[in-house]
Amino acid sequence: MTTTGSPSPLVEQAHRIAESAGQRAEKAEAARTPDPDVIDALVAAGAARHFVPLSLGGSGGTFTQLKQAAVTIGAHCPATAWCTVVAALMTRAAHHLPPAGQEQLWADGPDTLVAGGVTPNGTATALEGGWSLSGSWPAVSFAERAQWILLSATPRGTDGGGQRICLVPAAHVRVDRTWDAVGMQATGSHTVAVRQVFVPDTMTFPAALLTGLDTAPAGPDGRTVPLPAVNTFLFCLPMLGAAHGALRHWRQLTGARLHRHPRAYDPVLAHYGDVFARSSSEIDAAELLLDRIARHTDTAPALTRTDVARNQRDCAFVAELLLRAVDRLMQASGTSGHSAASALQRLWRDIHTAGSHATLQFGPAAARYTQAELTHAH
C-alpha cells in the first residue's frame, strides 16, 4: 500500500484539475454531464487507479491522499470532486470480483473508469454460468463517461436477501438522461437501465462482501474496510471542498467591508466578523473529524462495528457543520453572492445536494452509533 507520505499523482495534479473543472463548470452544468476533458484529466492523474492493487498496476492509494485531492478539486467544482471519490469507491468495490473478473476488468490497464449503483434496484435470474440482469438504477454518477457499471440486484425468487453486484460493460446499458437536481448538476448522475443482459459469474460477487463487516474480505491494501465504513466519509469530501471554496469566494465579496474601521465599534464589521469566525471554525472542525477518519481507516488492521458506526456519526455531523457554515456565508453574501454568475451560489447548491444524501442524515447515524456503543458495552 502506498504510504501517506509517498507522492500521489492525483494529489500533485489536483490543483490543475480543480482550476480546469471550475472554469468549465457552467458548461458542464448546462450539459448535465461531466466535462470530457476534465474526466480525461482525472483518469490520467490516477482517479480510476487510486485503489487498484499494485499487483495489477494500480496506485494502491490511501484515503488520506484521496481526501487531499478531492477537497482541493471540490473547492472549485464539488461535482468533479464527487466524480473523483465515486470513481475511487467503485474501483475499490470491483476488487471483490473473482480473480478472473479482475483480470478482465483491468486487462487494458488500471485506468478503467467504473461507475455504479449499489442500491438493489434490479433483479438477477440465475442461468448456467451467470445471471440475466434487468432493472433501472437512478443517480449513477458520470454514467455517460464510464467504461463499466457496477449494478446491485436481488436474485429472482428470493425474499430480498442475497443481493449480488454485477459488473456490466457500459456498451450494454442504456443511459436515460433523468438527472435534474438543482445542485451537483455536472456529476451527470443519470439513470442506468439494462434488460436481460447476461453477466458471467466471473463478473459478479455477493453484495455482502462489499457491505458486511463480518463477511467482507481484505481489500486491495490487504485490510478489511467495508463500504459502510467509508462511503459517508467519501461523500463528505466534496462538501468540505465546497465549504473551503465558499469561504474563499465570500472573503473576496466582503473583504473590503472587513477591512474598514470607520470607528471604534462598527456593527457591520462585527456582523461580518462573526460570520467569518463561526463559519471558518465549523469548517476547520469538520476537517479535523475527517482527518481522524482518514488516518484511522488508513492504519487500523481492521475496522470494528463501533468504528463503522462512529465514522457514520461523525460524517453526518460533519455534513451538518458544513451546511450550516455555507448557509451562513450565503446569507451574508448580499445580492452579489446570489447572482447566477457567482461561483458561491453554485457551491451552495452543490453542497446542499450532496448533504441531502440518505447516508448523511444525522438521526439514523446517531441511532446506529448509540446501538453499537450500548450493545458493545453490555
Side-chain angles (χ1 to χ4, degrees), residues 323-343:
L323 286 169
R324 187 162 63 234
V326 175
D327 278 347
R328 187 183 299 106
L329 295 171
M330 190 65 175
Q331 186 178 10
S333 68
T335 55
S336 297
H338 290 75
S339 167
S342 169

Side-chain angles (χ1 to χ4, degrees), residues 125-150:
T125 303
L127 301 173
E128 184 177 354
W131 302 80
S132 176
L133 178 67
S134 296
S136 180
W137 292 261
V140 178
S141 298
F142 57 89
E144 295 173 306
R145 305 297 186 207
Q147 296 158 276
W148 292 80
I149 316 285
L150 274 174

Side-chain angles (χ1 to χ4, degrees), residues 29 36 44 85 95 109 113 116-117 129 137 170 188 209 233 237 253 256 268 287 297 313 324 349 351 358 373:
E29 283 200 332
V85 298
H95 181 260
L113 189 60
W137 292 261
L209 296 183
F233 164 76
L237 302 184
L253 289 172
V268 174
E287 183 150 21
T297 305
R313 177 207 67 182
R324 187 162 63 234
R349 287 187 288 108
I351 197 172
E373 281 287 354

